[in-house]
Amino acid sequence: MAVFSYVDGDYRAEQVRIRDIAAACGTPFYCYSRAGIEAAYRRYEDAFRGFDVTICYAVKANSNQSVIKLLAALGAGADVVSGGELRRALAAGVPPERIVFSGVAKTEDEIELALEHNIRQFNVESAPELETISRVATRLGRTASIAFRINPDIDAGTHEKISTGKSENKFGIPWQSARKAYARAAELPGVRVAGVDMHIGSQILKLTPYERAFERVATLVETLRADGHDIDTVDLGGGLGVDYDRNTPTAPSPEEYAVLVGQLLEQLGCRCIIEPGRSLVANAGVLVGSVIYVKEGDQSTFLIIDAAMNDFLRPSMYSAHHGIAPVKLNGRADRTYDIVGPVCETGDTFARQRTLPEQVPGDLVVIEGAGAYGSVMASTYNTRLLVPEILVDGDDYRVIRQRPDYDSLIGLDLDWAEGVRAC
Ligand SMILES: *Cc1c(COP(=O)(O)O)cnc(C)c1O
């Protein structure tokens, strides 16, 4: 079943007409499909059947409580990168023994919270971070299971802003320094070495970078074991890309990826954690907006919609391509548009020179592939309200995050005369 499809010329999420949600909730809004998320998760689960793999959903891709709960109910753990995300995962009922804590610089407070809840593993990104984890754990009388995030110096071949596994990136520790880091960890109180971790980037569209990184990981695990460390888990991160353009499918499948991982696990005889984010939720979500004006420019015709870059940053931040489709197949002649939002930035452009049946003010459009790194990256720039989120299930839907109101947004600001001197 296609989770988003036209029935009688109407764009639907599962069996619900997008225009019916728009009529009840207004625009813009994010709309996710429960079946779409479940199908993506099941695909991973099936692909990895027979291996000792924990699928830790990378919460930062879409951290709505209902989305995390849905995945947790299917058996997923969580990969979190901040104390806030840890709280979200716990609040959604993810069992702590299935939570891994990644992230470049965990603070003492964050480490303490994670230790109090006895999470599965810390993915440590630097020598000073290791020292802090050891100190906090010792103070609390706990033991932190740790893996070092190894930077394998592999080019993931993805956009520069989401490439994380090259030596010039800020992430992890250089693989050449790994032995020293593990030797230090073995000396420290309050920490127990559990494994090796990596995450080389996001929206990775070729398996070759994974293959090369896995080779490095395999060599390293063997070296570390020879050094006397008990490495029983490899955490291979996330990053598997998705097809944002349905017409040119290029993304490797979870099945192909699982074959590679399986070879590594058989070679090493260990357990594994994977941290998919985007590939579980991206294509299970759309952003719906409505046309405010059609503006005839010198060079192009602008379709100005009520969603903007503050709501969905990927096109302007990563030059990302997203499908944009009309909600009603209206039978009008095709026209070519630059599709933009109302924010005062040239970067507030979703797509250039796209062909759609003629649109008029009030018509609805969907931006596809918006389920990952959409809502979570939204801001209130231009004093625009955060976009609500809707979850569809079969022929029913629920608002899973309300649209805030202006009073509460503006009310966060305090007057000098109110005299507060602490945060
Ligand atoms: C962002 C991130 C992920 C998820 O990446 P996707 O491309 O969304 O699969 C996994 N692990 C870590 C450490 C991350 O930072």
Side-chain angles (χ1 to χ4, degrees), residues 58 60 79 81 102 149 199 202-203 238-240 275-278 373:
K60 76 175 188 287
D79 170 52
V81 295
S102 302
R149 176 169 176 177
H199 171 71
S202 196
Q203 185 55 6
L240 202 65
E275 304 167 350
R278 185 190 311 270
Y373 304 108

Side-chain angles (χ1 to χ4, degrees), residues 58-72:
V59 164
K60 76 175 188 287
N62 183 328
S63 58
N64 186 289
Q65 284 289 284
S66 290
V67 172
I68 305 175
K69 273 185 195 160
L70 194 171
L71 283 161

Side-chain angles (χ1 to χ4, degrees), residues 8-59:
D8 301 330
D10 261 306
Y11 196 96
R12 291 190 184 199
E14 302 190 29
Q15 279 101 262
V16 179
R17 291 193 304 207
I18 291 290
R19 68 174 159 107
D20 292 341
I21 304 174
C25 302
T27 55
F29 62 88
Y30 279 95
C31 177
Y32 311 129
S33 155
R34 201 203 63 80
I37 297 172
E38 172 164 1
Y41 181 80
R42 296 276 185 220
R43 235 181 123 172
Y44 267 100
E45 197 182 46
D46 289 346
F48 281 92
R49 209 171 287 288
F51 293 103
D52 188 342
V53 171
T54 308
I55 304 171
C56 291
Y57 168 55
V59 164

